[in-house]
Every structure is written in structure tokens, then in C-alpha cells.
Amino acid sequence: MKPLTNIIRKEVKELLTPATIIPVVVMAVLFASLGGMIGGAQEEASKAPIIGLIDLDGGNYSQVISSYISANSEIAYNGTDVDVGLEAVRTAGGPAVIVVEPDFTSDISAGIPGTVRVYWIMAGAGVMDSVSSSVVDVILSGAGQMLSARMIEEGASTNSSLILAPMVKSETTYFKQMTMDDISPSTVSGVLSSQSFLIPLVVMLVILMSGGSIIGSMGMEKENKTLETLLTMPVKRRDIVMGKLAGAAVVGLLMAIVYMAGMGYYMGSLQGQSAIDMARFGLVLDPLDYLLVGLSLFLAVLGALALCMLMGAFARDFKSAQTLTMPITFLAMVPFFIMMMKDFSTLPLVGQAVIFLIPFSHPMMVMNNLMFNDYGLVIAGIAYEAVFAAVTVGLSVWLFKKDMLITGWKKGSKKTVRGFMRKGR
Amino acid sequence: MESVSAVEVIDLVKTFGEVRAVDGLSFSVSEGEVFGLIGPNGAGKTTTMRMMSTLLQVTSGSINIFGHDVMKETDEVRRIISYLPEEAGAYKNLTGRQYLEFIARFFAKGEGAIEIAARGMDVARLGDRIDDRVETYSKGMARRLLVGRALMFRPRLAILDELTSGLDVISAQQIRRVVRDSTKAGTTVIVSSHNMLEVELICDRIALVNAGKLVELGTPSELKYRYGAANIEDVFVRVVG
């Protein structure tokens, strides 16, 4: 073998390790999932939306827009009763019932824009949840253009403003047992996601930063050979674990505060232009709600740190510790991205199960759930987080009493872990 | 006067899966004694020391340190022992003084901790460098700091794995003197070393371990006499080789 080939083989072997492969694979899976979701959204956008159409006018102009809407949608209801129409569309999974008001044609003929009333059925607050309602918006806009064209053809008016905007929308949005007048799903979704964006971001940052620091700390202890000395000090293993957890939490929170301050300023400047008064719809949190948000966040961070400590216990050195942060990063990023795209309630059952089982999801969605008084999901989430945190902290303390912390994962370690599971300590 | 037993190791076994790293080891160490554990690589010396230090669990048998069972009374044992691993390190971003004070605070509060750390500095003899970060220390300086750490709180039992590893001749001699002197203050010492001269110089008794079993035990003079050897190195070669 030539010296050059020999060196190349050695380099490839050294660089192509699980430590380098796993992050690439994880990122590839993450982006593939995101790509799949975006593909799904595109597919949904290309489909004709299921709607209810009620034409209470029946005049010349209302027929123009009714025909256009019918041609571009799947009509689940075509009658005169709004409530029946809403029920039919809700059952069919559609986003809206469009009502052409009685005086539509006569209003336009009198030089006043005709009114189309849209009853939106909002499934969720995620970006992807409002795709079908956006499609309906596009169809309505197309219907307006058809109407303008007809008016030009007929020479119906010389009022250019009326020709360019011959109809106005009056909107009512139904979301989670709430009725919101004069507001569209995209506005609700935009406000809710911008209001709840900071919490998921902070949760993710705290988990990534404090988790990374605790895994790094374990790696450093191993690399610097300080762990053995620390473990022989007259201090309970539980105190060592708790001390490390608390230290990492403080560092993580400090880092998160710095990020949050910057992000808060950025978000504030964005919200300043489009914010609506959510209090008008009762979408505000009371002190108990804030307590539940804090509790959920605290338990998620505690569980994440304990999980990181467990991972860190298997680190051989600082470098290998960095690799071990990948599963935690993945667990923190998956719910963050999914929560941005979809509302928990609109996810398929498997998706809901996965999101529920990731303990970091709960503080990310707690604010929205509390706003809509979904206390059942909030309490169940907090209970699950508490169990997860108790188990991971207990497992960390237990691991700190075991040989494998010193000797690493060896033959016989599996037996020890099975023993722990059986005893359920 | 009959000496009091500081350490009692009885039929000690440690297995890792199918491997029996320590296989029925028994010996006792008297209070104030410097006891040497010697043997080839993989003989089970470090595993035995780690079990004494409460770092590893005992598979079977028992270790009793000053009347405390290491498995049942780990907190009591940790209060009276000090363990210096062969490849020990200190926190690199601390100064030598900060490191000693950090450790001292596990044993005393306030002035008491400062006093303990000061004793560690006396042993380490790092001069002004005590206020430099540990990451700037040479291997020998770091080892002196760690020996200071191990002996500063006057443990009843010091377990020192490869005591003078990485030290130059002068430093090694000084450290050996410190260790011997510590027995006068009431510390019992168990030391392992591959340096047979060192073992012969500081140990009152020596246990020779091979494949996890005790193969010889006695004072350096007894062992040399038993094997007709000029020094402990020859004894080692004849027993193990």
C-alpha cells in the first residue's frame, strides 16, 4: 500500500465515526420530515377546498361569484341554512361556509360593494392549519375579479373603485368553541403563533444550552479525570446530581434570558404592526395560567437536564459528549418545528402520541392550550412531565451509584439496567 | 503493643461480566501502616482500590475500613478515606489554590477549609504557581497538587494509586517523605506502584497480587529473604514472571 493511500485510509477511518455520521443523519431526517410536511401543504393547497355555499341573493352578480366558487371548490352544502351548512362543512372537514348576502346584486347596482359573509371553521393555529382557508381566500379573490370583468363587460358602472373591489368580506371565525367576529383564521393563527413563539423558542434554547453544558461537564469530568475524585468526596451522590443539574439550569436560563431579550425585541417590533386585541375574545392568561406555564417549563427543563446527565454519563471525553447532545437536540427541535406548522389537535393520532411523549412539547403548547381553556391537556402534560422528570432524575442518581459511571458501558451493564427496571427503583 | 486493624479485606471478588478482576482477595492493614499493593498490569490492584474507595461495588466478600463496611456505610467511609487515582486530574479552569479550597469545603467550613487547603499547599510545594490555573501546570506539578489534595485533610486511610507517577526524582522523594510523615499523624496508607524501589522504601508490608489473587504477603525483608532476592524487583519477577 502506498504511503498516501495508507494516510487517506487512516484519515477516513478516523473521521467516519458515529460521532460524525449521526449528526448528518439526524439533520437529514429532520429536513426530510420538514420537506414532507411542506409537500403535504402544497398538495393540500392544490386540492379544491370543501365548502358550504349559501346564495341568499340569487341575482345576476351573485350568480357570477357562486358559479366561480362552485367551479373551484367541492361543495358540501348548498342550501339556505347557515347552521346546517356549518355542520355539513365541519363534518366534511372543510374550512368555510360562504354566504352571499340577500342584497348583493342590488347593492352593487346601487354603487355599493356587495357583501359576502364568510364563516370560517378553524381547525388549528399552526401555519399549515390555515392552508385550506388561504385557498378559499384565493378563490374569493378570483370570484371578485370575475365579477369585476363582468361589470366591465356590461359597462355597469363608471366607479373605478367599485369595479376594482365590487364585494366586501364580512368574517366570523369559529375556533375551539370560540366565536370571533371580524377576524380571519390567518390573523388568529398569526397572532397566536407569534404570541406563543417565544415560549417554544426559549424552551428549545434552555434545553439545548443547559443540556449541552451538562453533557459537556460530564465529558470534561471524564476527560480531565476528576470524576473519580469527586465521587469519593463525603457527599451524597444525589447531591452531586442535583448540584450539577442546578448549575446547568442556572447557566442555561442565563443564556436563554439573553436570547429571549433579543428575540423579544425582534418579535415586539413585528407584532407592533399586526397585533390584535386578543383580550376582546377572552384569549388572555390569568395568574394560575402563568403558574402552570412556569411549572410546565420547569419540569421540562428538569427532565431534559436529567436526561442529558444520563447521556453524559456515557461520554468518554468532551468530544464524545458533544455527539451525545444530538438526540436531545432532535427531541427539542422536532416539537418546535411541528408546533409551528400544526396545532396539536389537528395532528393525526400517531403524531399526537409522539408529540405528547416528547416531554419538551408540553411547555411549547401550554400557552395556546390555556388560552382556549384546554386544561385537560395541560394537566395531563404536566403530570407526564413530572413523571418523566422524576424517572430521569431517579435514574441519574441510581447511575451515579453504579460501576458503569466509572467503567463505562461494558458487558454486564445491560444486566444492571435490567435489574433497575425490575426493581423499579 | 498489638496494632489495630485499619482495613480488613475478606474473600473479595469483583467480576465484570465473565471476567473475575479480583478473585478471592484477603488481607488486612494495620493502623499507621504503609501497605503496598503490587502486581503486573491487570492484576486487580486498581479495581481493589476503587472498591475500597466506594467507587465500584463489591461482587462478593467484604471490605471493612475502621469498622465501617464499604458497601453498607459508604458515607462514613468517604469521610475518613482519601483516594488518589493513577490518572487523576484537577479542574483545569481553577487555580491550584481554588482547587484545594473547593475540595477542602467538603470537609470543613470557613476558616477550617482554608486551614485544610493551606496544608495541601504545603504538601504540593508549588510556590507562586499555586495561583496559576491548573491547565498551565506540568504533569509533575499537577501530581503534586493532587497528592496535596489527597493528604491535606489528614484522612484515616489514604489510598494512593501509583503515588509518584509522572514525578521527577526529587519531587518523588519529597512526596514519599510526606507520605511517610503522614503516618505519624495517624494516617494509614495503601499504595500501589510499579516502582519497586519506591515500594521497598516506603512500605511496611507488601501484598503481591496476580490475576486477582494474593500470591505473596510480607515485609520487604521477609519477601527478599523468602526468595533469596537482592531487592523487591527480583521478588516480583520470581513470583509473577
Side-chain angles (χ1 to χ4, degrees):
Chain A
M1 192 185 289
K2 284 181 183 172
L4 179 65
T5 319
N6 197 20
I7 290 168
I8 292 170
R9 273 186 61 159
K10 190 272 283 174
E11 286 297 318
V12 169
K13 210 172 165 183
E14 211 163 73
L15 296 173
L16 222 54
T17 60
T20 54
I21 296 168
I22 291 169
V24 176
V25 172
V26 168
M27 289 316 283
V29 169
L30 199 64
F31 278 106
S33 313
L34 278 173
M37 286 177 83
I38 291 164
Q42 284 173 339
E43 198 183 314
E44 200 177 336
S46 65
K47 280 196 298 192
I50 300 167
I51 60 159
L53 182 61
I54 298 172
D55 187 352
L56 299 175
D57 181 65
N60 184 23
Y61 292 142
S62 77
Q63 278 175 14
V64 172
I65 66 161
S66 292
S67 308
Y68 184 86
I69 293 168
S70 299
N72 290 285
S73 315
E74 193 182 315
I75 306 296
Y77 177 79
N78 195 355
T80 54
D81 192 316
V82 174
D83 290 336
V84 177
L86 279 169
E87 193 50 45
V89 170
R90 193 173 274 127
T91 308
V97 172
I98 299 168
V99 179
V100 185
E101 294 285 61
D103 300 325
F104 188 81
T105 303
S106 57
D107 279 352
I108 293 173
S109 300
I112 307 164
T115 304
V116 171
R117 193 159 185 82
V118 186
Y119 295 92
W120 297 105
I121 300 164
M122 195 176 161
V127 174
M128 280 179 62
D129 293 317
S130 55
V131 170
S132 54
S133 57
S134 302
V135 175
V136 173
D137 256 336
V138 171
I139 291 170
L140 280 171
S141 162
Q145 284 170 9
M146 284 297 288
L147 187 56
S148 301
R150 171 65 71 88
M151 288 168 72
I152 293 166
E153 264 176 39
E154 291 179 352
S157 174
T158 52
N159 182 347
S160 60
S161 303
L162 181 69
I163 288 172
L164 287 172
M167 63 182 202
V168 288
K169 257 191 312 181
S170 166
E171 297 172 297
T172 298
T173 298
Y174 298 100
F175 184 42
K176 294 187 176 177
Q177 282 88 45
M178 214 162 268
T179 305
M180 292 174 271
D181 289 324
D182 306 323
I183 192 166
S184 70
S186 55
T187 312
V188 176
S189 172
V191 171
L192 283 183
S193 52
S194 63
Q195 282 206 349
S196 58
F197 180 74
L198 267 182
I199 290 273
L201 186 75
V202 170
V203 172
M204 196 178 76
L205 287 174
V206 170
I207 288 167
L208 296 186
M209 288 177 176
S210 48
S213 71
I214 205 163
I215 290 184
S217 152
M218 288 300 293
M220 290 293 277
E221 292 267 16
K222 296 268 182 91
E223 188 170 303
N224 294 338
K225 314 279 181 196
T226 48
L227 187 63
E228 288 188 36
T229 302
L230 185 64
L231 294 176
T232 57
M233 292 294 113
V235 56
K236 290 196 181 299
R237 297 288 162 90
R238 185 193 60 217
D239 293 344
I240 296 177
V241 170
M242 295 314 284
K244 281 188 170 288
L245 291 180
V250 168
V251 172
L253 281 172
L254 281 175
M255 288 176 176
I257 287 167
V258 173
Y259 271 80
M260 206 167 77
M263 191 54 70
Y265 182 76
Y266 166 72
M267 293 300 292
S269 63
L270 286 186
Q271 278 181 28
Q273 298 160 0
S274 62
I276 56 167
D277 184 14
M278 299 307 282
R280 184 158 67 96
F281 306 106
L283 298 177
V284 285
L285 300 184
D286 60 29
L288 175 69
D289 292 340
Y290 279 110
L291 192 72
L292 290 172
V293 170
L295 185 62
S296 180
L297 185 59
F298 168 76
L299 288 172
V301 171
L302 185 65
L305 290 178
L307 187 62
C308 288
M309 179 158 271
L310 277 175
M311 306 291 291
F314 295 101
R316 291 186 309 279
D317 48 36
F318 189 71
K319 192 182 167 193
S320 72
Q322 296 310 304
T323 313
L324 291 166
T325 59
M326 282 312 293
I328 311 292
T329 307
F330 190 70
L331 282 178
M333 286 174 85
V334 164
F336 176 71
F337 281 115
I338 291 180
M339 292 290 107
M340 276 201 325
M341 297 287 180
K342 296 280 279 180
D343 198 280
F344 181 80
S345 59
T346 59
L347 285 170
L349 193 64
V350 177
Q352 286 186 340
V354 170
I355 289 296
F356 191 91
L357 288 174
I358 297 174
F360 319 139
S361 313
H362 298 284
M364 293 184 184
M365 55 186 182
V366 68
M367 255 179 119
N368 276 354
N369 289 333
L370 286 169
M371 273 185 183
F372 290 95
N373 300 321
D374 196 350
Y375 283 93
L377 185 59
V378 172
I379 301 295
I382 287 176
Y384 173 69
E385 284 182 84
V387 170
F388 183 86
V391 170
T392 45
V393 170
L395 209 52
S396 299
V397 173
W398 171 81
L399 188 68
F400 263 69
K401 293 177 181 171
K402 292 293 164 192
D403 292 356
M404 68 178 111
L405 190 66
I406 302 296
T407 60
W409 184 263
K410 279 187 177 177
K411 210 175 170 184
S413 302
K414 263 189 200 168
K415 216 166 82 182
T416 316
V417 172
R418 270 194 229 117
F420 172 83
M421 300 299 183
R422 268 201 304 275
K423 285 178 188 167
R425 280 186 292 174
Chain B
M1 193 178 73
E2 199 177 317
S3 58
V4 180
S5 183
V7 180
E8 286 282 353
V9 176
I10 301 167
D11 204 18
L12 186 67
V13 173
K14 179 67 192 178
T15 58
F16 295 108
E18 305 297 314
V19 180
R20 284 173 83 85
V22 177
D23 191 4
L25 201 61
S26 296
F27 61 86
S28 65
V29 181
S30 303
E31 190 170 0
E33 192 177 24
V34 178
F35 187 84
L37 262 182
I38 62 170
N41 292 331
K45 308 180 297 289
T46 297
T47 302
T48 303
M49 289 179 149
R50 282 174 164 181
M51 283 190 280
M52 287 177 174
S53 313
T54 75
L55 284 172
L56 293 182
Q57 293 181 316
V58 172
T59 304
S60 69
S62 67
I63 304 171
N64 209 287
I65 295 173
F66 289 101
H68 301 293
D69 187 304
V70 293
M71 288 299 286
K72 292 175 187 156
E73 300 166 273
T74 44
D75 289 344
E76 287 79 1
V77 170
R78 284 182 197 139
R79 260 180 231 122
I80 58 173
I81 65 154
S82 178
Y83 175 52
L84 176 66
E86 180 183 358
E87 290 183 345
Y91 298 104
K92 289 181 176 172
N93 56 346
L94 298 183
T95 66
R97 184 192 299 275
Q98 286 168 341
Y99 175 68
L100 292 176
E101 286 173 355
F102 166 70
I103 297 291
R105 282 195 290 272
F106 286 111
F107 299 94
K109 290 175 186 168
E111 282 303 308
I114 302 288
E115 210 173 286
I116 288 173
R119 277 205 296 272
M121 287 178 228
D122 284 345
V123 174
R125 290 186 21 176
L126 290 169
D128 292 342
R129 296 296 308 276
I130 196 73
D131 289 313
D132 289 346
R133 279 174 176 237
V134 171
E135 65 185 348
T136 65
Y137 289 0
S138 68
K139 196 178 173 188
M141 288 167 73
R143 192 66 181 171
R144 267 157 43 208
L145 179 73
L146 291 165
V147 173
R149 187 276 296 162
L151 297 174
M152 67 183 179
F153 71 96
R154 292 178 180 149
R156 291 190 76 187
L157 175 67
I159 302 162
L160 312 169
D161 198 356
E162 291 296 332
L163 172 65
T164 55
S165 164
L167 291 182
D168 60 54
V169 175
I170 307 289
S171 297
Q173 194 179 51
Q174 181 253 325
I175 289 297
R176 281 196 288 269
R177 198 177 307 125
V178 170
V179 169
R180 277 256 48 131
D181 288 347
S182 71
T183 59
K184 291 173 195 159
T187 297
T188 302
V189 178
I190 296 179
V191 63
S192 87
S193 180
H194 286 297
N195 182 343
M196 294 301 125
L197 175 67
E198 176 172 288
V199 172
E200 200 170 340
L201 282 172
I202 64 166
C203 292
D204 297 312
R205 280 192 310 141
I206 299 166
L208 235 157
V209 182
N210 193 21
K213 295 178 193 295
L214 184 75
V215 286
E216 264 303 352
L217 179 68
T219 64
S221 312
E222 283 169 354
L223 292 176
K224 281 189 284 186
Y225 178 75
R226 208 173 290 161
Y227 288 89
N231 51 49
I232 292 297
E233 193 170 274
D234 284 344
V235 174
F236 183 91
V237 171
R238 284 182 206 181
V239 175
V240 178

